[in-house]
């Protein structure tokens, strides 16, 4: 069933605090009973039910006057309560069933006309009437119901009648607690939606679907234990990680545990426990018009409790512990009890949940790490069937309002002001139930597709790169050989590799085909000597090495090589052929075979010279000492 408009639901101001103080009022002649249509209601839906009003028969009893009624109202109040009588209302919705604009049904009163304009009452007749009601709920109704020794959160549904008996006015009231949950709406963030929505952006996932998706990076916590034993430092390190932070109560939570045991001890027990902390605050939170500073407080009391525990011992479930000087990685699970949900920080308290991972040896707890988690109710994602259509309509209504309000704040231009450019996703695609549970699987599939697309794009980039070698084969007559190899049949095969020039860190001396070797030599002669920054000894070595450097030009490019000839021989080798022109690569290769190479001495000969010099030094020293002793004897001793 779709949402009926208008809903006649409004925010009650001022807040009806008297409902909290006096939830029930009785009258001997009239009664009101509430009956709701469902045990659970979700945000975006509605609370539907009926009010049964019973008026007694006053004609059978003497001296009793008829009753008059002026108003019947329905209120929903969300309140957080603390021990000590402190209360705070965070939700107040109301709807008027009977007022001056909505008269009561004809079988309930004597006349549909009021007594007078100054007396806006209707005279009641003995009857039993049933009045249906509906309260429309926002998508975010507030925290879920909660109950503990120190604090609680509850939603109170109340019906109030204003009646008159004789000349006195009375309130007749009946109240009951109902269960209300918020729903993760599928809204588009107004700050990021452009005026012209591309088709890809209109298929964005909802907040509900994102709740069960994996985090961009795992949520991890690690700690290590240091031990000094026998002068050796031993360590035990544990790391626990979650692929997402939001979990549904009533399901199992999975955590990856990595243990690195660099000690002589054996880890024999791994324990998981779910901890709940109720932080109570003494002072109310400060706030501005835009934001509340509720987290900038120090809690006055903390009620800590363990909801569930799982222990993995040595030799159970195929786990043999963590041996000394070894590592182990294991995925552990812990069941979450039903009915628990995280309560965000309100005026007086908040509820947090933590997953603790504890490592132990035989009888001693060694390490413990803690991971914060967020628990939500199952029906915050899986909407009850009777409210699916209403929730979908409310979500689409909010999305439309958000989209249009964002479009109104954008600067208008002729190219973006046309109506056909503003597109919205139809509501049918957002009313599919259970999409939140399929979101993790779709996310993994999209990641695989994105990786495949990246690899394909990388392949295209490599194929189109100019650095990739391209070989071209040209057949030229054998009379004009200019290639590297010569093929058969009077044809030459020329291999040309087109590669961009490399930046040889500033060592490029010339560019272009017009440059020659003589220009390079001229530049080298004008360069500063290597001896400028070296000592005399190192200068000699550098000078001898610099004299061996020469720049040669060949068909393979420019390079510097070692040569035993000086610059004059180099010039003569470049111009020795006279009219024959410069030497070809093959002729230079043949010449290099007959060049004189300086012979190198063996290492043994060098060590022989060193031994002779050391022996000579030792002999001269011995003679000098002998002369000193002879001189001392002649002078009569040393003083």
């Amino acid at each position: 069933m779709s949402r009926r408009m208008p809903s006649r639901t409004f925010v009650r101001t001022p807040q009806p605090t008297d409902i909290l103080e006096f939830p029930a009022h009785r009258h001997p002649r009239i009664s009101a009973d509430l009956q709701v249509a469902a045990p659970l209601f979700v945000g975006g839906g509605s609370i539907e039910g009926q009010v049964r009003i019973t008026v007694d028969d006053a004609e059978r009893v003497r001296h009793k006057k008829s009753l008059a009624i002026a108003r019947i109202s329905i209120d929903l109040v969300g309140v957080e309560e603390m021990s000590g009588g402190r209360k705070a209302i965070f939700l107040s919705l109301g709807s008027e069933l009977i007022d001056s604009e909505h008269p009561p049904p004809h079988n309930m009163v004597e006349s549909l006309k009021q007594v007078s304009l100054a007396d806006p009452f209707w005279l009641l007749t003995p009857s039993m009437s049933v009045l249906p009601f509906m309260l429309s709920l926002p998508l975010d109704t507030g925290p879920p119901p909660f109950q503990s020794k120190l604090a609680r959160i509850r939603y109170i549904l109340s019906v109030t009648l204003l009646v008159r008996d004789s000349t006195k006015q009375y309130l007749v009231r009946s109240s009951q607690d109902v269960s209300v949950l918020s729903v993760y709406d599928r809204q588009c963030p107004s700050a990021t939606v452009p005026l012209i929505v591309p088709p890809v952006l209109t298929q964005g996932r909802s907040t509900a679907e994102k709740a069960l998706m994996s985090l961009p990076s795992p949520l991890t916590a690690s700690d290590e234990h240091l031990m000094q034993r026998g002068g050796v430092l031993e360590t035990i390190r544990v790391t626990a990680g979650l692929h997402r932070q939001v979990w549904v109560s009533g399901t199992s939570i999975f955590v990856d545990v990595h243990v690195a045991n660099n000690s002589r001890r054996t880890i024999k027990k791994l324990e998981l426990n779910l901890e709940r902390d109720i932080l109570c605050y003494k002072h109310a939170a400060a706030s501005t018009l835009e934001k509340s500073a509720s987290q900038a407080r120090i809690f006055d009391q903390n009620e800590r409790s363990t909801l569930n525990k799982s222990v993995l011992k040595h030799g159970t479930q195929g786990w043999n512990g963590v041996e000394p000087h070894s590592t182990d990685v294991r995925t552990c699970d812990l069941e979450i009890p039903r009915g628990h949900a995280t309560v965000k920080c309100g005026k007086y308290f908040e509820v947090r949940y933590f997953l603790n991972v504890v490592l132990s040896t035989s009888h001693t707890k060694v390490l413990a790490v803690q991971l914060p988690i967020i628990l939500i109710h199952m029906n915050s994602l899986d909407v009850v069937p009777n409210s699916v259509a209403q929730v979908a309509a409310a979500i689409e209504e909010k999305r439309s309002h958000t989209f249009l309000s964002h479009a109104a704040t954008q600067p208008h231009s002729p190219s973006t002001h046309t109506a056909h450019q503003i597109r919205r996703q139809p509501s049918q695609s957002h009313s599919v139930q259970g999409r939140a549970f399929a979101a993790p699987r779709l996310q993994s599939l999209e990641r695989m597709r994105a990786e495949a697309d990246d690899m394909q794009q990388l392949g295209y980039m490599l194929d189109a790169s100019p650095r990739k070698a391209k070989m071209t084969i040209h057949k030229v007559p054998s009379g004009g050989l200019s290639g590297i190899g010569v093929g058969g049949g009077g044809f030459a095969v020329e291999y040309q590799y087109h590669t961009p020039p490399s930046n040889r860190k500033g060592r490029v001396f010339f560019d272009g085909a017009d440059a020659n070797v003589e220009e390079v030599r001229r530049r080298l002669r004008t360069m500063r000597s290597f001896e400028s920054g070296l000592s005399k000894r190192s200068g000699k070595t550098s000078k001898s090495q610099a004299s061996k450097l020469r720049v040669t030009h060949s068909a393979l490019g420019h390079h510097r090589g070692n040569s035993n000839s000086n610059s004059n021989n180099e010039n003569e080798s470049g111009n020795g052929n006279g009219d024959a022109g410069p030497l070809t690569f093959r002729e230079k290769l043949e010449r290099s075979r007959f060049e004189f190479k300086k012979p190198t001495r063996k290492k043994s000969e060098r060590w022989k010279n060193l031994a002779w010099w050391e022996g000579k030094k030792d002999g001269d020293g011995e003679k000098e000492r002998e002369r000193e002793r002879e001189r001392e004897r002649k002078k009569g001793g040393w003083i």
Side-chain angles (χ1 to χ4, degrees), residues 370-639:
Q370 190 176 74
L371 292 169
I373 61 175
I374 298 174
L375 298 184
I376 59 176
H377 200 279
M378 171 66 75
N379 296 109
S380 293
L381 299 177
D382 189 11
V383 181
V384 292
N386 294 335
S387 302
V388 171
Q390 292 181 343
V391 172
I395 291 170
E396 186 64 18
E397 180 181 351
K398 184 175 182 179
R399 290 185 67 253
S400 304
H401 176 73
T402 304
F403 185 87
L404 294 177
S405 62
H406 179 75
T409 59
Q410 297 293 326
H412 299 285
S413 61
S415 60
T416 60
H417 193 62
T418 55
H420 69 276
Q421 291 176 333
I422 302 178
R423 302 177 181 176
R424 256 197 336 265
Q425 189 75 0
S427 61
Q428 287 80 4
S429 62
H430 296 277
S431 61
V432 178
Q433 192 173 6
R435 291 180 63 182
F437 303 100
R441 184 175 66 255
L442 297 177
Q443 182 193 24
S444 300
L445 183 60
E446 289 180 358
R447 285 183 177 177
M448 294 175 59
R449 291 175 179 173
E451 291 178 0
D453 293 342
D454 292 342
M455 293 300 295
Q456 187 176 9
Q457 185 67 20
L458 182 60
Y460 291 154
M461 293 174 62
L462 291 177
D463 291 339
S465 175
R467 290 184 175 272
K468 185 175 181 180
K470 298 181 180 179
M471 183 180 66
T472 58
I473 301 177
H474 302 282
K475 291 185 178 181
V476 297
S478 57
L481 296 180
S482 62
I484 297 178
V486 179
F491 289 91
V493 181
E494 181 184 5
Y495 297 90
Q496 297 179 357
Y497 294 90
H498 301 278
T499 310
S502 62
N503 179 19
R504 294 187 287 269
K505 296 183 178 180
R507 294 196 297 267
V508 179
F509 298 111
F510 57 89
D511 293 322
D514 298 332
N516 51 19
V517 183
E518 295 300 331
E519 179 65 20
V520 178
R521 292 170 181 166
R522 187 187 63 80
R523 295 185 185 182
L524 289 176
R525 282 195 294 268
T526 58
M527 292 176 61
R528 189 173 181 181
S529 175
F530 290 97
E531 299 177 359
S532 59
L534 303 176
S535 63
K536 182 177 181 182
R537 182 176 179 181
S538 61
K540 294 180 180 179
T541 307
S542 301
K543 184 177 180 180
S544 60
Q545 293 179 356
S547 63
K548 297 178 182 179
L549 296 176
R550 73 168 181 176
V551 180
T552 59
H553 180 61
S554 64
L556 298 179
H558 311 280
H559 67 281
R560 285 187 289 182
N562 294 331
S563 175
N564 297 323
S565 59
N566 52 21
S567 60
N568 297 330
N569 296 335
E570 200 171 277
N571 295 333
E572 293 173 2
S573 63
N575 302 325
N577 292 336
D579 299 335
L583 298 178
T584 62
F585 174 75
R586 186 177 298 276
E587 292 176 353
K588 290 183 179 181
L589 185 62
E590 292 296 334
R591 272 192 171 190
S592 63
R593 297 180 183 178
F594 303 98
E595 288 183 355
F596 173 75
K597 296 183 180 179
K598 183 180 179 181
T600 58
R601 291 193 303 173
K602 296 183 179 180
K603 294 184 178 180
S604 58
E605 297 178 0
R606 289 186 292 179
W607 286 112
K608 287 180 180 179
N609 297 335
L610 181 60
W612 173 82
W613 175 250
E614 293 292 338
K616 186 176 183 305
K617 289 198 302 182
D618 294 341
D620 295 343
E622 186 64 28
K623 292 180 180 180
E624 184 64 26
R625 287 192 294 273
E626 185 64 29
R627 286 194 294 269
E628 288 291 334
R629 287 194 294 269
E630 184 66 26
R631 191 181 303 110
E632 291 175 2
R633 280 196 303 270
K634 291 180 180 181
K635 292 182 179 181
W638 178 82
I639 300 178

Side-chain angles (χ1 to χ4, degrees), residues 50-65:
Q50 58 187 10
V51 180
R52 185 172 62 181
I53 300 174
T54 303
V55 182
D56 67 346
D57 190 359
E59 295 180 356
R60 299 179 182 179
V61 182
R62 292 184 178 182
H63 310 295
K64 280 192 176 182
K65 298 182 179 180

Side-chain angles (χ1 to χ4, degrees), residues 34-42 47-48 75-79 91 133 135 137 143-146 153-158 175-181:
L34 273 173
Q35 295 180 358
V36 293
L40 178 66
F41 304 96
V42 295
I47 299 179
E48 298 182 10
D75 289 277
L76 177 66
V77 179
V79 58
L91 180 67
F133 69 89
L135 280 176
L137 299 176
F146 178 76
I153 290 177
R154 60 181 184 142
Y155 292 86
I156 305 173
L157 183 65
S158 174
S175 303
Q176 70 179 48
D177 291 352
V178 293
S179 298
V180 180
L181 297 175

Side-chain angles (χ1 to χ4, degrees), residues 15 85 206 225 295 353 442 480 518 562:
Q15 297 176 344
S206 66
H225 178 65
Q295 297 293 340
Y353 293 88
L442 297 177
E518 295 300 331
N562 294 331

Side-chain angles (χ1 to χ4, degrees), residues 343-358:
V343 177
K344 64 181 181 180
C345 188
K347 187 173 183 179
Y348 296 117
F349 77 97
E350 64 176 320
V351 182
R352 299 181 182 180
Y353 293 88
F354 299 92
L355 177 65
N356 298 326
V357 181
V358 183

Side-chain angles (χ1 to χ4, degrees), residues 221-242:
S222 62
D223 196 5
E224 62 179 0
H225 178 65
L226 304 178
M227 298 174 292
Q228 191 77 20
R229 176 178 294 182
V232 179
L233 186 63
E234 298 180 352
T235 61
I236 301 176
R237 185 177 181 85
V238 60
T239 302
L242 294 173

